[in-house]
Amino acid sequence: MKVLANDGISKTGELALTEAGFEVLPNRVAQNHVINFINENNVDILLVRSTTKVRQDIIDACPSLKIIGRGGIGMDNIDVDYAKSKGIKVINTPTASSKSVAELVFGHFFALARFLHESNRLMPLEGETHFEAMKKSFSKAYELSGKTLGVIGFGSIGQEVVKMGIALGMKIKVLTKNPKTRVLTLDFFDGQSLNFEITSTNDMDAFLKDTDFISINTPKTNEYIIDTPQFEKMKDGVYIVNTARGGVINEVTLIDFIESEKVAGAALDVFESEPSPELPLLMNPALSLSPHVGGNTVDAQEKIGAELAEQIIKLQKETIR
């Protein structure tokens, strides 16, 4: 069976598939050439991440496809239900990149709380001439320990964010559509582990009250989760990080509340107009920005490749039976 990993696959995943008898094609195909390439090469399995879109046109035009795989948790770039209705198996790796995304959340929180995002921009330009002035302007920083962390979404990524917040000594709030309880286990270097029972709330007002740091970790939504009414109820000086999807937070309104100082700082790894973020976002000094790299670590990519390969090999064995 032929595999097109159009957005790439780790060496671990590629090796596992090759050893199991699959042919992993080395090509990377532009979106408008995907259909022709699949049909000309009789591709059986199409693997993507966030770049390649697998819509009805590809599904209808490529009868050779048997499996579509998404390296990551979100499946909004694949018409999942339609593919399944055509007898195509659809798989993803919902937990493989969770730790990497959670670490990026805190990378941004630390950068915002200590002005590192702005300091790194200004030091090469003004460090020699305005050192003392910058030192003074960046002195109103905060520790995360003892502050209240609010996490929107309680999936695998949200749970990892909560665990890291607990490890830092933060107070925890979680917001979900329906209240739920999860027992989270923190494992330590010496083999010890501790369990923490966390119960979420569906009360947005209670969630926002007195929350110092907010992390958005939800699937793609059809409407904003955070907009003017939510910003107005937040604590003055709140910090917000969005590593979920563009469109869960109103970016225009975010800028307004940054300018009014209701929001002390925010970080965006995903954007409404991705891959061309709006210029006012890119130029705002209160924003810490990254180009949708939440799961882009060597570690996560190795896990994703291995997990995709494992699922594909398992599906093949089940088909043979």
Side-chain angles (χ1 to χ4, degrees):
M1 298 179 76
K2 292 184 179 180
V3 180
L4 173 62
N6 206 44
D7 297 336
I9 187 171
S10 68
K11 288 296 182 182
T12 300
E14 182 178 353
L15 181 61
L17 288 170
T18 302
E19 289 180 346
F22 294 85
E23 180 184 354
V24 181
L25 303 176
N27 310 77
R28 302 289 180 270
V29 185
Q31 182 73 47
N32 59 332
H33 295 303
V34 168
I35 291 174
N36 287 339
F37 184 89
I38 289 174
N39 290 332
E40 289 172 2
N41 293 274
N42 294 312
V43 172
D44 303 279
I45 302 168
L46 175 60
L47 303 181
V48 302
R49 291 203 64 223
S50 59
T51 302
T52 304
K53 310 294 186 289
V54 189
R55 302 301 181 200
Q56 283 189 219
D57 60 336
I58 292 178
I59 295 166
D60 285 335
C62 302
S64 65
L65 282 180
K66 300 175 181 64
I67 299 173
I68 298 171
R70 164 72 161 92
I73 186 169
M75 303 269 271
D76 46 281
N77 59 322
I78 301 173
D79 287 341
V80 176
D81 291 337
Y82 189 75
K84 289 180 177 179
S85 75
K86 295 295 183 178
I88 299 173
K89 301 287 186 181
V90 183
I91 60 176
N92 69 333
T93 58
T95 63
S97 59
S98 298
K99 288 184 184 295
S100 290
V101 177
E103 287 186 5
L104 181 66
V105 169
F106 281 95
H108 278 301
F109 276 147
F110 283 123
L112 291 167
R114 299 303 301 267
F115 302 102
L116 296 180
H117 62 300
E118 192 173 1
S119 176
N120 282 329
R121 282 186 279 206
L122 293 179
M123 278 296 288
L125 300 174
E126 303 179 20
E128 185 178 4
T129 55
H130 296 84
F131 189 92
E132 291 298 330
M134 281 194 291
K135 181 178 179 179
K136 183 177 181 180
S137 68
F138 296 151
S139 64
K140 294 181 179 179
Y142 293 96
E143 296 179 354
L144 273 66
S145 177
K147 304 301 189 298
T148 299
L149 169 67
V151 180
I152 303 178
F154 209 19
S156 60
I157 295 173
Q159 291 179 33
E160 289 296 333
V161 173
V162 168
K163 287 161 69 174
M164 292 180 190
I166 292 171
L168 286 168
M170 303 184 79
K171 303 168 188 174
I172 303 297
K173 290 183 179 182
V174 179
L175 181 72
T176 54
K177 285 184 179 180
N178 300 301
K180 58 184 69 174
T181 298
R182 296 283 185 269
V183 176
L184 306 183
T185 302
L186 270 66
D187 297 312
F188 297 94
F189 71 97
D190 59 357
Q192 294 188 71
S193 62
L194 289 174
N195 292 332
F196 295 84
E197 185 175 280
I198 305 294
T199 299
S200 67
T201 179
N202 61 354
D203 185 337
M204 176 67 84
D205 292 356
F207 172 81
L208 293 175
K209 183 181 179 181
D210 299 326
T211 301
D212 301 291
F213 294 84
I214 297 174
S215 175
I216 308 174
N217 303 108
T218 66
K220 184 177 176 63
T221 57
N222 294 322
E223 56 188 22
Y224 296 126
I225 295 174
I226 301 295
D227 205 344
T228 299
Q230 291 74 40
F231 281 116
E232 289 176 341
K233 293 171 183 175
M234 291 178 186
K235 178 180 181 178
D236 289 348
V238 68
Y239 293 94
I240 305 169
V241 173
N242 180 22
T243 57
R245 285 288 185 271
V248 301
I249 184 170
N250 187 329
E251 295 171 353
V252 174
T253 307
L254 171 64
I255 296 297
D256 292 339
F257 280 90
I258 286 174
E259 291 177 352
S260 71
E261 298 185 351
K262 163 69 78 169
V263 176
L268 301 174
D269 184 54
V270 289
F271 303 85
E272 290 189 68
S273 58
E274 194 173 318
S276 302
E278 301 295 336
L279 191 59
L281 296 174
L282 300 178
M283 299 300 293
N284 194 296
L287 286 173
S288 179
L289 305 172
S290 52
H292 200 156
V293 294
N296 285 9
T297 63
V298 172
D299 310 84
Q301 294 312 305
E302 288 297 320
K303 294 174 189 174
I304 286 171
E307 192 172 322
L308 283 174
E310 182 180 349
Q311 291 185 60
I312 291 167
I313 293 167
K314 182 179 179 181
L315 284 172
Q316 184 196 40
K317 290 179 178 178
E318 290 175 352
T319 302
I320 292 174
R321 289 176 193 165

